[in-house]
């Protein structure tokens, strides 16, 4: 039971327009309009890591091989054509540097064909992160070197101060790498040994403060693998050095940034960089091995600086 005032209030409330229903009716109209505008073939062109393949081209042909539609992807990798007559079609997605992908498209009575997400693989089966500048994050990178000791075991060291950046080009082969390492930052866990490594017998860190690497090109070497060609400047000596590079993928970090991970390695001969110091401890056995194995675990942040 309600009082006369409560009943009047309920009646007034019932007579007021539903403020929540108006936006819903508007949204329904918008959806209907959007659906009408979506007639045609639609696809989302992506790399295997989920990045948009900008300016990909999708060509649609009928069963006779006649081209009936052609459209270019936008900056988000979205492709949309005009309405299609109901039937079965072949759609081929192409993009520079990628292997073409062909698929069957079925247009419904409304003239719509949905392909969903189309994944394009790099030619040669290799991928890199989205084009642009990527900056090394020293807190999440390791630059390590390993040498043989007494012909029996290994001594491991790492450099603790360095900076670098990767520039990924629209075509992977146009990408580049630049890195600079503070020679005196070598750390093997033994102060006496580290001082010796900084001396003129090895890194000569007082005379040549920086170790630098500049790439000159990339060559595909398999799925997600590249050979990086470049020049290493070490102890004042320049030598061509190739890095065996593996791309490990990308992901978002908690600070809103996008990160890419790589692993690379190479082997250096000490004598190529005038590091000839050694001691013979017994017949045929040297104190230090003639080669160094270099291993790099790299995490780079998209952009010109680290957050």
């Amino acid at each position: 039971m309600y009082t006369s005032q409560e009943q009047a209030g309920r009646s007034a409330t019932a007579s007021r327009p539903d403020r929540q229903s108006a936006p819903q009716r508007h949204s329904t109209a918008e959806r209907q309009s959007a659906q009408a505008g979506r007639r045609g073939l639609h696809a989302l062109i992506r790399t295997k890591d989920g990045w948009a393949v900008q300016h990909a081209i999708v060509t649609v042909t009928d069963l006779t091989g006649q081209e009936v539609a052609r459209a270019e992807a936008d900056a988000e990798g979205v492709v949309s054509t005009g309405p299609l007559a109901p039937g079965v079609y072949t759609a081929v997605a192409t993009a520079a540097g990628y292997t073409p992908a062909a698929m069957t498209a079925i247009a419904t009575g409304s003239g719509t064909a949905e392909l969903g997400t189309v994944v394009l693989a790099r030619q040669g089966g290799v991928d890199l992160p989205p084009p642009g500048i990527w900056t090394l994050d020293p807190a999440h990178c390791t630059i390590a070197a390993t040498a043989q000791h007494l012909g029996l075991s290994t001594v491991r060291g790492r450099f603790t101060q360095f900076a670098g950046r990767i520039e990924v080009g629209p075509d992977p082969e146009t990408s580049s790498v630049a890195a600079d390492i503070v020679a005196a930052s070598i750390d093997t866990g033994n102060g006496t040994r580290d001082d010796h490594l900084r001396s003129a017998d090895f890194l000569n860190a007082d005379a040549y403060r920086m170790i630098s690497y500049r790439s000159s090109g990339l060559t595909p070497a398999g799925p997600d693998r590249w050979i990086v060609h470049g020049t290493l400047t070490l102890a004042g000596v320049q030598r061509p050095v190739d890095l065996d590079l593996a791309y490990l993928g990308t992901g978002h970090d908690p600070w809103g940034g996008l990160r890419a991970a790589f692993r690379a390695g190479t082997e250096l001969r000490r004598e190529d960089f005038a590091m000839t110091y050694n001691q013979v401890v017994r017949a045929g056995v040297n104190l230090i091995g003639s080669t160094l194995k270099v291993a790099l675990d790299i995490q780079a942040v998209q952009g010109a600086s680290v957050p």
Side-chain angles (χ1 to χ4, degrees):
M1 296 296 292
Y2 298 95
T3 67
S4 58
Q5 289 180 340
E6 289 174 330
Q7 184 64 46
R10 287 172 54 82
S11 300
T13 301
S15 65
R16 286 198 299 266
D18 185 348
R19 295 181 180 178
Q20 298 299 321
S21 62
Q24 293 174 354
R25 288 194 296 270
H26 181 63
S27 297
T28 300
E30 286 180 339
R31 286 196 298 270
Q32 291 172 345
S33 175
Q35 289 172 355
R38 281 187 59 82
R39 287 182 298 175
L41 180 139
H42 304 279
L44 194 59
I45 313 300
R46 290 284 189 261
T47 67
K48 73 171 190 175
D49 286 332
W51 303 108
V53 181
Q54 300 179 4
H55 310 307
I57 301 292
V58 173
T59 304
V60 183
T61 58
D62 60 21
L63 293 179
T64 68
Q66 180 72 31
E67 180 179 313
V68 297
R70 182 181 175 88
E72 181 176 338
D74 62 16
E76 301 299 323
V78 176
V79 174
S80 299
T81 73
L84 299 172
V88 179
Y89 299 89
T90 297
V92 179
T94 59
Y98 292 86
T99 301
M103 60 226 85
T104 299
I106 300 177
T108 64
S110 65
T112 302
E114 296 289 346
L115 289 181
T117 300
V118 177
V119 177
L120 293 185
R122 283 282 187 185
Q123 289 180 345
V126 288
D127 279 299
L128 283 179
I133 301 296
W134 297 74
T135 303
L136 269 62
D137 179 4
H140 297 93
C141 295
T142 302
I143 299 179
T146 303
Q148 193 174 42
H149 183 248
L150 295 174
L152 298 173
S153 60
T154 57
V155 173
R156 294 177 174 83
R158 65 188 184 96
F159 292 94
T160 60
Q161 298 178 44
F162 51 86
R165 77 175 194 172
I166 302 165
E167 184 167 356
V168 179
D171 296 320
E173 290 79 3
T174 65
S175 301
S176 62
V177 177
D180 295 294
I181 304 167
V182 178
S185 71
I186 185 66
D187 180 6
T188 66
N190 181 285
T192 301
R193 180 168 54 217
D194 293 346
D195 288 340
H196 191 194
L197 290 174
R198 296 182 187 113
S199 74
D201 286 339
F202 295 97
L203 297 173
N204 201 1
D206 287 339
Y208 303 103
R209 181 174 177 272
M210 304 302 293
I211 302 167
S212 65
Y213 185 80
R214 299 291 184 270
S215 70
S216 56
L218 282 78
T219 302
D224 300 317
R225 290 185 58 243
W226 300 82
I227 300 298
V228 181
H229 310 289
T231 299
L232 176 66
T233 303
L234 174 59
V237 179
Q238 291 187 340
R239 290 285 185 270
V241 170
D242 289 346
L243 300 175
D244 187 353
L245 175 71
Y247 168 49
L248 306 180
T250 56
H252 292 277
D253 62 28
W255 308 280
L258 180 64
R259 293 172 179 259
F262 305 86
R263 184 169 293 131
T266 191
E267 188 167 303
L268 307 177
R269 293 181 58 83
R270 291 195 299 116
E271 64 181 22
D272 289 343
F273 296 92
M275 296 183 189
T276 56
Y277 172 85
N278 220 328
Q279 294 180 11
V280 178
V281 293
R282 60 179 182 273
V285 178
N286 291 326
L287 178 67
I288 306 169
S290 61
T291 62
L292 293 172
K293 291 184 178 180
V294 179
L296 303 97
D297 284 293
I298 301 299
Q299 194 175 109
V301 181
Q302 189 177 42
S305 62
V306 177

